[in-house]
Amino acid sequence: MAFTKVALFFLLVAVTTKPIGLYMRRVFCGERTFLDPLAAPLERLIHRLAGIDAKREQSWQAYALAMLAFSMIGLVLTYALLRLQHVLPLNPDHLGAVGPDLAWNTAVSFTTNTDWQAYVGESTMSQLSQMAALAFHNFASAATGIAVAIAVIRGVARQRAATLGNFWVDLVRATLWILLPLSLVAAIVLLSQGVVQNFDTSTRVRTLEGATQAIAQGPVASQEAIKELGTNGGGFFNANSAHPYENPTPFTNLFEMFLILWIAAGLTYTLGSMTGKPRHGWAVFAAMSLLFLAMTSLGVAAEIRGNPLHHLGPNLEGKETRFGAADSALFASVTTAASCGAVNAMHDSFTPLGGFVPLANILLGEVVFGGAGAGLYGIFVFIILAVFIAGLMVGRTPEYLGKKIEAKDVKLAMLTVLIFALFVLAGSALATATNAGRSSISNAGPHGLSQMAYAYTSAAGNNGSAFAGLNANTRFYNIGLGLAMFFGRFFMIIPVLGIAGSLAAKKRIAESAGTFPVDGALFAILLAGVIVIVGALTYFPMLSLGPVVEHFVMQSGKVFG
Amino acid sequence: MKEHLVIATRTTLVLLVLVSGIYPAIVWGIGQLAFRDAANGSLIVRDGRVVGSSLIAQPFTSARYFHPRPSAVDYNAQGSGGSNLGPTSQKLRDRIVADVRALQTTTRATNIPPDAVTTSASGLDPHISPEYALLQVPRVARARHLDEANLRALVRGHTEGRFLGVYGEPRVNVLQLNLALDALVSRDGARE
C-alpha cells in the first residue's frame, strides 16, 4: 500500500510535467497561450501603472538589481505592516503589534520564500497581516524565483548575448499567467473539500458536553493554494497543513503535495524545451526522481515501522488520523525536496530516520525538484559542477550545451554551495555553543542537536519547516535565522545570475566526439551522484551526531529526560 | 538603483491590490456562493445552536460519548499544534506507557491502537481510527444502556475509507458519531 502511494503520486507528477513545462515556455517566450485574452490586457495595465518598459532587456547585473530592489521594498513593507497591525484594519481579534525581532524574522522569512514561522499564526497575525504582509510574498517570492529560473535558462539558451530578459516582465508574467490562475483553480478545489475562506472573528461553539470552544477562522483557502503552488509553506494556522481547516481530507493532502512539486518539475521540461534539448530536461528530471524516490522510500518505511520504544506499530505521534504514517512521511519528503516547508505532521516527533529524510533533503540543496524556480536554478549549480567533474575525469575543457565552462563559472557555482554550508554549519555551531541557542531546545540528547541543526538548515535552505519543539521566537533565533534566510536566498540568486550572464555571453561551440553528453542515463546518474557527494561530504558529521546517533540510541532502548 | 526602487515600489503596490485584495476576495465570493457551508467552517447546528465543526475536534470526557485522540494543546482551536516530543523523549515514552496501561486496564484489550495514545499534529484531529472507536464501544454501551452490536454497526456506518482506496487511512469522525449517538438514544426513548 505504501509503495502504491509513493508510486502513484510520482506518476501523477511525471505525466503532468510536460504540459506545465511547455506552457511555461510559451509564457516566457511570448508565444500565444489560451489565457492571453484575459491576462494580456491586465499585463499592459500593470506595465503602465508600474512604469515597466517591456521592450528593454537587462544585463545580468541589472536583472539582479531589479530583483533585489523588489525584494527589499517587499521586506520593508512587511516589516512596517507587522509593526503597525494594531492600528490597521482587518484585525477582528484586536491583536497587538508584532515585536521588532519577530517582525524582522517574519519579513525576511516571507520575502525569501522561506516562510519560517516563529509565531502562532492564529493568535499573532491579524487578517490584514496574513493577507497583505504574508500572502503577498507567497506570490511575489515565488514569481521572483520563477523569473530567476527563466533568466538562467535564457543564459544557457542564448549565445553572444548581453542580456537575460527583463525582470519586471518575467515577474508579472509569472504572476498573471501561472501563479494567479492556478491558485484560483486550486483554491476552489480546496474550498470544495472544507478549507475555510471567511473574514469572521473566531466562532464560539457550545460543545455537546456543554463546554465553550472558540474556533479561529480566516481567509485560508486563497492562501493555502499559493502556499503550496509557490512552495512558500507558511501556514495560516500554527499546525500548518496538519490543521483540518488547511488540509481536511486525504484528497486535499494528495492535491497539496502535487501543487508543491508541479511547477518545479515542469521547469525541468521548460529548461529542455527552451534550450532545444528536451532530452537534457528529462535527464535532469530523472536525476531528481532518483533521489526523490530513494529518500521518500526511506522516510515512509521508517514511519510505518514506528518507534520500538513505544510498541505501538506505525508512529502516529504528531500525525493526523486521516493521513496516517505513510501519507505524512510522503508529505514530509515532498515539502523538503521542494523548498516548501508546509507540514502535515510534526517532523520533531518523527522517528530518527523519518526525521533524517526531511533534514537531508534540505541539506542536499533542495534541488530534488526544489522550490518554484529555486529548484531549477539550484540544480543548475550542480549541473555546472557535474560537467566540470566529468571534464576533469576525461581531461577536457568542460562544456554545457555547447558553452565552455570556465574557472569563473565554477568558482561562482562553488560560492553558492559554500555560502549555504557556512550558514548551516556555523549557525548550528553557534547555537550549540551558546546558552541562547541551547536554552530553546525542548528535547535532550542527540535530538536537541537535530532541533538546532534543522532550524539553521531550514533557514539557510529557505525551506521553513521545523523541528517545531524548538522555541524559535527568541532574539537569538529571530535575528540569526533571519540572517541565514537572507544570505541563503540572495547569495544564491546573485552568483547564479552571474553564471547565467557569463554563459549567455559565450559563443556556442559545436559538439564533438569528446563532448560529455548531458542527455542520457549516465549524466542523470552523475548529476545525482554529485548532489549526494557534495551533501554527504559537507554534512556527514552533523547528520551522524544528530539523527544517526539517535537512531542507534533508540534501538538500544535509551531515552533522554 | 533609484529607477529600480521606483518601479519596485509601484509594482509592489499594484500586485498587492491584485494578489492580496482582489484574489482573496474572488475566492471568498466563490466560497460564499458555491461552498457556503465549507467556507464558513463546516459548522454543525443542532436545535438552532452551533455545537461544533465537523473538522475540529472537541473535548469529550463523559463515558457516554466516544472520545477523540489526546490533544497536546487541550483542543484549543485558536492555538493548534502537536507535542513536538522527539522519538527518544523520556516524557513521551512515559506518557505513552502510562496511557497504554490505563487503557488496557479499562478495556481489558491487549492491543491498543496507536492513535488512542498519541497526540495529533494539530491537536484538533477530528477523527479516530475505527479500531479505537470499536475499543470504546463497550464503555459507551454500558453508560447508555445500549446494545453493543448496534453501536458497532453505528461505528461501521460512520467509517470513511481511503481516497481511491489508496490515500489516507480509514477513520471515524468523532463529533458526527457522537451526534448520531445522541439521535439514536432519543429515537429509542431510552434516556437514562
Side-chain angles (χ1 to χ4, degrees):
Chain A
M1 179 61 77
F3 173 76
T4 318
K5 288 175 197 265
V6 177
L8 266 183
F9 171 70
F10 175 72
L11 201 68
L12 178 67
V13 173
V15 300
T16 51
T17 289
K18 182 174 170 179
I20 185 75
L22 195 62
Y23 175 71
M24 287 193 281
R25 177 203 123 110
R26 290 221 172 100
V27 168
F28 290 105
C29 293
E31 295 166 29
R32 282 169 62 90
T33 69
F34 73 102
L35 271 181
D36 289 1
L38 273 173
L42 206 51
E43 184 190 32
R44 282 194 294 276
L45 177 69
I46 292 177
H47 283 178
R48 202 165 60 237
L49 290 174
I52 297 166
D53 179 3
K55 299 226 163 47
R56 206 161 91 193
E57 288 241 335
Q58 293 166 326
S59 66
W60 80 262
Q61 292 96 334
Y63 202 98
L65 275 179
M67 180 278 302
L68 272 179
F70 180 64
S71 300
M72 291 316 113
I73 293 290
L75 195 145
V76 171
L77 173 85
T78 304
Y79 184 82
L81 283 172
L82 296 183
R83 298 286 292 138
L84 296 172
Q85 73 170 7
H86 57 299
V87 293
L88 293 169
L90 276 179
N91 185 2
D93 289 318
H94 304 288
L95 300 169
V98 181
D101 56 315
L102 179 59
W104 143 260
N105 182 280
T106 308
V108 175
S109 170
F110 279 76
T111 304
T112 57
N113 197 261
T114 310
D115 294 28
W116 170 268
Q117 294 171 292
Y119 55 86
V120 173
E122 44 276 64
S123 58
T124 313
M125 296 296 166
S126 74
Q127 293 184 353
L128 182 77
S129 296
Q130 293 268 18
M131 285 198 303
L134 308 183
F136 165 71
H137 286 295
N138 286 353
F139 283 94
S141 66
T144 301
I146 295 172
V148 171
I150 294 299
V152 165
I153 296 175
R154 289 198 192 106
V156 181
R158 293 175 175 183
Q159 56 170 336
R160 292 192 160 166
T163 60
L164 294 176
N166 182 310
F167 172 74
W168 305 111
V169 174
D170 292 340
L171 179 82
V172 172
R173 291 212 137 223
T175 308
L176 292 184
W177 267 265
I178 299 167
L179 297 175
L180 207 48
L182 290 180
S183 294
L184 193 58
V185 174
I188 294 169
V189 172
L190 292 172
L191 273 173
S192 77
Q193 295 289 307
V195 179
V196 297
Q197 179 83 6
N198 59 58
F199 296 94
D200 302 342
T201 50
S202 299
T203 311
R204 295 210 161 268
V205 307
R206 205 168 150 74
T207 69
L208 294 195
E209 290 191 346
T212 313
Q213 189 183 33
I215 304 175
Q217 303 280 350
V220 180
S222 56
Q223 188 166 329
E224 191 70 19
I226 183 62
K227 162 192 150 191
E228 319 295 0
L229 189 69
T231 61
N232 296 281
F236 192 93
F237 299 110
N238 188 47
N240 208 294
S241 286
H243 195 294
Y245 276 167
E246 289 200 22
N247 193 1
T249 63
F251 165 70
T252 55
N253 193 56
L254 175 68
F255 185 62
E256 290 181 11
M257 290 191 291
F258 168 70
L259 290 177
I260 292 172
L261 288 193
W262 199 24
I263 289 181
L267 278 169
T268 62
Y269 187 86
T270 314
L271 168 71
S273 179
M274 279 175 70
T275 55
K277 296 265 190 255
R279 280 170 50 86
H280 170 57
W282 286 118
V284 173
F285 179 89
M288 292 173 166
S289 305
L290 210 62
L291 294 172
F292 175 73
L293 291 173
M295 294 300 277
T296 306
S297 306
L298 174 64
V300 170
E303 290 310 293
I304 290 181
R305 181 167 168 267
N307 189 330
L309 294 171
H310 301 155
H311 307 287
L312 287 172
N315 176 20
L316 287 189
E317 180 69 20
K319 294 194 181 66
E320 299 285 296
T321 310
R322 60 194 181 282
F323 308 137
D327 296 46
S328 299
L330 174 57
F331 194 107
S333 186
V334 166
T335 195
T336 50
S339 64
C340 183
V343 296
N344 79 343
M346 294 302 142
H347 294 182
D348 215 348
S349 296
F350 275 29
T351 62
L353 290 184
F356 166 89
V357 168
L359 181 58
N361 271 343
I362 308 173
L363 288 172
L364 291 180
E366 289 164 326
V367 292
V368 182
F369 299 107
L376 198 278
Y377 64 70
I379 198 133
F380 172 67
V381 167
F382 284 101
I383 293 173
I384 299 289
L385 294 181
V387 295
F388 172 66
I389 289 168
L392 286 184
M393 288 194 286
V394 297
R396 284 179 55 99
T397 309
E399 289 165 25
Y400 174 44
L401 296 177
K403 301 287 182 67
K404 279 206 160 66
I405 302 299
E406 291 163 300
K408 185 182 124 195
D409 308 314
V410 178
K411 276 184 198 156
L412 284 172
M414 277 316 295
L415 181 67
T416 67
V417 174
L418 291 175
I419 290 272
F420 175 56
L422 176 73
F423 273 91
V424 170
L425 295 175
S428 312
L430 191 66
T432 46
T434 56
N435 272 328
R438 285 194 309 267
S439 60
S440 282
I441 62 177
S442 66
N443 282 285
H447 200 77
L449 176 69
S450 300
Q451 285 187 314
M452 292 181 278
Y454 199 105
Y456 273 93
T457 301
S458 176
N462 293 155
N463 185 273
S465 65
F467 273 14
L470 183 87
N471 173 23
N473 190 9
T474 65
R475 190 159 292 175
F476 174 84
Y477 282 106
N478 276 337
I479 296 173
L481 295 175
L483 290 170
M485 292 187 275
F486 188 89
F487 286 100
R489 170 85 164 179
F490 298 110
F491 275 65
M492 175 83 193
I493 289 184
I494 296 169
V496 160
L497 282 173
I499 306 173
S502 150
L503 291 193
K506 291 176 192 187
K507 181 176 175 296
R508 192 181 307 287
I509 49 176
E511 275 187 32
S512 69
T515 304
F516 180 72
V518 291
D519 57 2
L522 185 63
F523 174 72
I525 291 166
L526 178 77
L527 180 58
V530 166
I531 293 166
V532 170
I533 289 166
V534 169
L537 288 178
T538 318
Y539 304 110
F540 183 72
M542 188 175 93
L543 289 169
S544 306
L545 293 172
V548 176
V549 161
E550 193 185 18
H551 173 73
F552 290 111
V553 166
M554 179 186 77
Q555 296 294 343
S556 73
K558 188 167 166 47
V559 290
F560 298 88
Chain B
M1 192 65 191
K2 189 164 158 255
E3 188 205 336
H4 287 310
L5 284 173
V6 171
I7 299 180
T9 310
R10 289 167 66 173
T11 308
T12 299
L13 293 177
V14 176
L15 288 184
L16 196 61
V17 171
L18 186 65
V19 305
S20 294
I22 297 172
Y23 161 69
I26 293 176
V27 175
W28 176 80
I30 294 170
Q32 297 302 321
L33 283 176
F35 307 101
R36 200 174 174 79
D37 175 52
N40 291 320
S42 306
L43 301 173
I44 298 176
V45 178
R46 189 175 69 173
D47 304 333
R49 219 171 50 197
V50 180
V51 294
S53 161
S54 65
L55 290 176
I56 304 291
Q58 54 179 245
F60 284 101
T61 51
S62 147
R64 303 177 71 251
Y65 285 115
F66 286 91
H67 297 172
R69 296 176 65 186
S71 165
V73 295
D74 200 19
Y75 310 97
N76 175 5
Q78 289 181 303
S80 52
S83 73
N84 284 311
L85 293 172
T88 51
S89 156
Q90 184 176 4
K91 220 159 132 191
L92 177 62
R93 193 205 52 186
D94 292 352
R95 191 198 81 203
I96 288 177
V97 167
D99 287 358
V100 166
R101 203 163 292 151
L103 264 177
Q104 282 173 333
T105 314
T106 54
T107 63
R108 285 192 284 275
T110 43
N111 282 331
I112 300 300
D115 59 308
V117 292
T118 48
T119 61
S120 64
S122 63
L124 303 171
D125 191 342
H127 300 107
I128 54 177
S129 65
E131 294 77 22
Y132 184 33
L134 291 172
L135 194 68
Q136 302 186 51
V137 161
R139 185 196 71 225
V140 177
R142 253 197 321 279
R144 295 199 179 233
H145 309 294
L146 284 168
D147 193 23
E148 285 189 22
N150 285 350
L151 278 189
R152 277 196 295 274
L154 193 70
V155 168
R156 271 194 298 276
H158 278 80
T159 301
E160 298 165 66
R162 295 185 169 96
F163 174 65
L164 299 178
V166 177
Y167 290 97
E169 298 298 331
R171 62 208 177 277
V172 178
N173 188 298
V174 179
L175 180 56
Q176 282 172 345
L177 180 65
N178 283 332
L179 283 166
L181 194 60
D182 277 354
L184 188 76
V185 173
S186 46
R187 189 167 59 239
D188 296 352
R191 279 177 200 276
E192 63 273 38

